[in-house]
Amino acid sequence: MKTLIIGSAGGIGKSLSEDLFKDSLDIFLGYHTNPVDSTYKSKKVDATNFEDVENFIQSGVETLGGVDAIVNLPGNLILKPAHLSTEDDFYNTININLKSAFGVVRAAGKLLDNCSIVLMSTAAASIGLSNHELISSAKSGIEGLAKSAAKTYARKNIRVNTVSPGLVNTPLSKKITENPIVLKASIKMLASNKIGEPKQISNMIRLSLIHI
């Protein structure tokens, strides 16, 4: 299985890259500012730029000799109510999350056939959480994108799915996990009474890729 991972330098991206590499899958990693381990084939990519994403996917095709799956992991987390959110907050959140996902679908629709696309959403898009207006707006857009794209590109056998975790212990969620009061309040909202770990989410993605 020839797999591209965009946003591979993050907590979930690192775990997924390690898992797929151990499974002897051929992977090509995209990173933005933090380079990935030199063990892997990789290329810098601005996930918020359509042309850059398309060039990255084309490079993946050339490097791996084809692409069977793309996982898009870029994300941010700004927790504040809508009335305190700036226009920059809004556009940054939309660009990093929704625009990056749209760019992947757009490029895959132009360049690929017979592949699987996995996009990252969040449980907050479905259940509604205080101060999550920014991220919920962007991730809800991703879920709508995935449903429509799955219909549009079914004729090319391109499958589009989302993974929607709750709070995960990654560098992205440090503002929550490193604040004991906020963390305690967050855990109370979880059925398991504990936050997720990157390995758990990467396992979900990994299994969906292995069984496509």
Side-chain angles (χ1 to χ4, degrees), residues 33-53:
T33 54
N34 299 316
V36 297
D37 192 300
S38 59
T39 303
Y40 309 117
K41 303 165 188 172
S42 64
K43 179 182 174 68
K44 187 173 183 179
V45 58
D46 179 357
T48 67
N49 182 286
F50 283 173
E51 184 178 359
D52 218 28
V53 171

Side-chain angles (χ1 to χ4, degrees), residues 78-98:
I78 302 175
L79 299 181
K80 58 174 72 173
H83 72 280
L84 294 180
S85 302
T86 66
E87 196 160 345
D88 281 344
D89 290 336
F90 176 79
Y91 282 115
N92 285 338
T93 300
I94 292 296
N95 286 341
I96 292 171
N97 293 277
L98 180 55

Side-chain angles (χ1 to χ4, degrees), residues 82-154:
H83 72 280
L84 294 180
S85 302
T86 66
E87 196 160 345
D88 281 344
D89 290 336
F90 176 79
Y91 282 115
N92 285 338
T93 300
I94 292 296
N95 286 341
I96 292 171
N97 293 277
L98 180 55
K99 188 179 179 183
S100 71
F102 194 98
V104 166
V105 170
R106 174 182 177 273
K110 291 175 67 175
L111 301 174
L112 303 176
D113 295 281
N114 305 309
C115 75
S116 176
I117 298 173
V118 178
L119 307 175
M120 290 299 295
S121 183
T122 173
S126 300
I127 63 176
L129 296 174
S130 297
N131 301 322
H132 282 64
E133 288 89 331
L134 285 166
I135 193 64
S136 291
S137 297
K139 296 300 193 182
S140 294
I142 289 174
E143 294 189 5
L145 166 66
K147 291 172 184 176
S148 292
K151 291 282 189 180
T152 301
Y153 298 109

Side-chain angles (χ1 to χ4, degrees), residues 12 15-16 19 198-207:
I12 295 172
S15 182
L16 179 61
D19 288 344
K199 183 79 171 178
Q200 294 172 304
I201 310 306
S202 68
N203 277 343
M204 291 170 58
I205 298 170
R206 172 174 158 267
L207 289 173

Side-chain angles (χ1 to χ4, degrees), residues 77 165-169 173 176-177 183 186-187 190 194-197:
L77 185 61
L167 181 62
V168 182
N169 186 23
S173 61
I176 298 175
T177 58
L183 178 59
S186 297
I187 289 175
L190 304 174
K194 61 182 178 180
I195 65 174
E197 294 296 330

Side-chain angles (χ1 to χ4, degrees), residues 1 3 5 13-27 29 39-40 199 202-203 206 210:
M1 168 122 3
T3 304
I5 305 174
K14 287 181 180 178
S15 182
L16 179 61
S17 300
E18 291 170 0
D19 288 344
L20 295 184
F21 191 74
K22 288 175 184 175
D23 289 334
S24 299
L25 300 189
D26 209 355
I27 58 176
L29 309 184
T39 303
Y40 309 117
K199 183 79 171 178
S202 68
N203 277 343
R206 172 174 158 267
I210 291 174

